[in-house]
Short mmCIF file of all heavy atoms in Angstrom, two decimals:
data_model
loop_
_atom_site.label_atom_id
_atom_site.label_comp_id
_atom_site.label_asym_id
_atom_site.label_seq_id
_atom_site.Cartn_x
_atom_site.Cartn_y
_atom_site.Cartn_z
N GLU H 71 -0.60 15.31 1.43
CA GLU H 71 -0.45 16.61 0.80
C GLU H 71 -0.09 17.68 1.91
O GLU H 71 -0.45 17.50 3.04
CB GLU H 71 -1.76 17.06 0.09
CG GLU H 71 -2.27 16.16 -0.87
CD GLU H 71 -3.32 15.19 -0.42
OE1 GLU H 71 -3.41 14.96 0.77
OE2 GLU H 71 -4.14 14.73 -1.18
N GLY H 73 0.77 22.24 2.15
CA GLY H 73 0.98 23.49 1.41
C GLY H 73 -0.22 24.26 1.07
O GLY H 73 -0.12 25.43 0.55
N GLY H 74 -1.41 23.81 1.42
CA GLY H 74 -2.62 24.58 1.21
C GLY H 74 -2.73 25.76 2.10
O GLY H 74 -1.92 25.88 3.01
N VAL H 77 -4.95 32.59 0.35
CA VAL H 77 -4.19 33.68 -0.22
C VAL H 77 -5.16 34.65 -1.02
O VAL H 77 -6.26 34.14 -1.35
CB VAL H 77 -3.09 33.28 -1.17
CG1 VAL H 77 -1.99 32.51 -0.46
CG2 VAL H 77 -3.58 32.51 -2.36
N ALA H 79 -6.42 36.81 -4.33
CA ALA H 79 -6.35 36.58 -5.72
C ALA H 79 -5.09 37.25 -6.38
O ALA H 79 -4.66 38.38 -5.90
CB ALA H 79 -7.57 37.19 -6.37
N LEU H 83 0.65 29.87 -4.43
CA LEU H 83 0.77 28.77 -3.43
C LEU H 83 1.51 27.55 -4.07
O LEU H 83 1.46 27.41 -5.26
CB LEU H 83 -0.55 28.29 -2.95
CG LEU H 83 -1.28 29.09 -1.86
CD1 LEU H 83 -2.67 28.53 -1.66
CD2 LEU H 83 -0.51 29.18 -0.54
N GLY H 91 5.31 4.08 2.04
CA GLY H 91 4.87 2.77 1.99
C GLY H 91 5.54 1.90 0.93
O GLY H 91 6.62 2.24 0.40
N HIS H 92 4.95 0.82 0.53
CA HIS H 92 5.59 -0.09 -0.38
C HIS H 92 5.30 0.32 -1.78
O HIS H 92 4.26 0.33 -2.40
CB HIS H 92 4.86 -1.46 -0.24
CG HIS H 92 5.58 -2.53 -1.16
ND1 HIS H 92 6.86 -2.81 -1.14
CD2 HIS H 92 5.03 -3.27 -2.16
CE1 HIS H 92 7.19 -3.78 -2.04
NE2 HIS H 92 5.99 -3.98 -2.71
N TYR H 94 6.07 -0.51 -5.28
CA TYR H 94 6.59 -1.64 -6.07
C TYR H 94 6.91 -1.26 -7.58
O TYR H 94 7.56 -1.94 -8.20
CB TYR H 94 5.56 -2.63 -6.07
CG TYR H 94 4.14 -2.26 -6.58
CD1 TYR H 94 3.87 -2.42 -7.85
CD2 TYR H 94 3.27 -1.75 -5.73
CE1 TYR H 94 2.59 -2.07 -8.43
CE2 TYR H 94 1.96 -1.40 -6.18
CZ TYR H 94 1.71 -1.49 -7.51
OH TYR H 94 0.44 -1.20 -8.08
N TYR H 98 5.49 6.25 -11.66
CA TYR H 98 4.11 6.43 -11.35
C TYR H 98 3.61 7.73 -12.11
O TYR H 98 4.41 8.64 -12.42
CB TYR H 98 4.00 6.79 -9.90
CG TYR H 98 4.11 5.53 -8.97
CD1 TYR H 98 5.34 5.11 -8.61
CD2 TYR H 98 3.00 4.80 -8.43
CE1 TYR H 98 5.54 4.02 -7.85
CE2 TYR H 98 3.18 3.78 -7.69
CZ TYR H 98 4.41 3.29 -7.40
OH TYR H 98 4.56 2.16 -6.71
N GLU H 110 -17.98 18.77 -9.38
CA GLU H 110 -17.40 17.44 -9.53
C GLU H 110 -15.87 17.55 -9.42
O GLU H 110 -15.32 18.59 -9.63
CB GLU H 110 -17.72 16.86 -10.89
CG GLU H 110 -19.23 16.41 -11.05
CD GLU H 110 -19.42 15.71 -12.36
OE1 GLU H 110 -18.53 15.50 -13.19
OE2 GLU H 110 -20.61 15.27 -12.53
N ALA H 127 -5.21 21.07 -17.03
CA ALA H 127 -6.55 21.46 -17.36
C ALA H 127 -6.42 22.84 -18.11
O ALA H 127 -5.56 23.57 -17.76
CB ALA H 127 -7.40 21.45 -16.23
N ASP H 128 -7.30 23.07 -18.91
CA ASP H 128 -7.34 24.41 -19.74
C ASP H 128 -7.42 25.57 -18.72
O ASP H 128 -6.77 26.55 -18.97
CB ASP H 128 -8.45 24.44 -20.64
CG ASP H 128 -8.24 23.52 -21.89
OD1 ASP H 128 -7.06 23.13 -22.18
OD2 ASP H 128 -9.23 23.26 -22.59
N THR H 135 2.12 24.77 -12.44
CA THR H 135 3.18 23.86 -12.99
C THR H 135 3.36 22.69 -12.05
O THR H 135 3.47 22.78 -10.83
CB THR H 135 4.56 24.62 -13.02
OG1 THR H 135 4.38 25.76 -13.84
CG2 THR H 135 5.68 23.73 -13.56
N ASP H 165 -0.62 6.61 -9.42
CA ASP H 165 -1.04 5.34 -10.06
C ASP H 165 0.23 4.84 -10.78
O ASP H 165 0.98 5.55 -11.42
CB ASP H 165 -2.19 5.53 -10.99
CG ASP H 165 -2.80 4.26 -11.43
OD1 ASP H 165 -2.18 3.54 -12.27
OD2 ASP H 165 -3.86 3.91 -10.84
N TYR H 168 0.96 4.36 -16.83
CA TYR H 168 1.37 5.54 -17.62
C TYR H 168 0.11 6.54 -17.55
O TYR H 168 -0.95 6.08 -17.78
CB TYR H 168 1.72 5.13 -18.99
CG TYR H 168 2.04 6.23 -19.90
CD1 TYR H 168 3.18 7.06 -19.60
CD2 TYR H 168 1.36 6.55 -20.99
CE1 TYR H 168 3.61 8.15 -20.46
CE2 TYR H 168 1.75 7.59 -21.92
CZ TYR H 168 2.80 8.33 -21.59
OH TYR H 168 3.13 9.37 -22.42
#
Side-chain angles (χ1 to χ4, degrees):
E71 303 97 337
V77 295
L83 280 174
H92 181 60
Y94 58 90
Y98 286 81
E110 293 188 354
D128 288 342
T135 302
D165 194 284
Y168 179 63

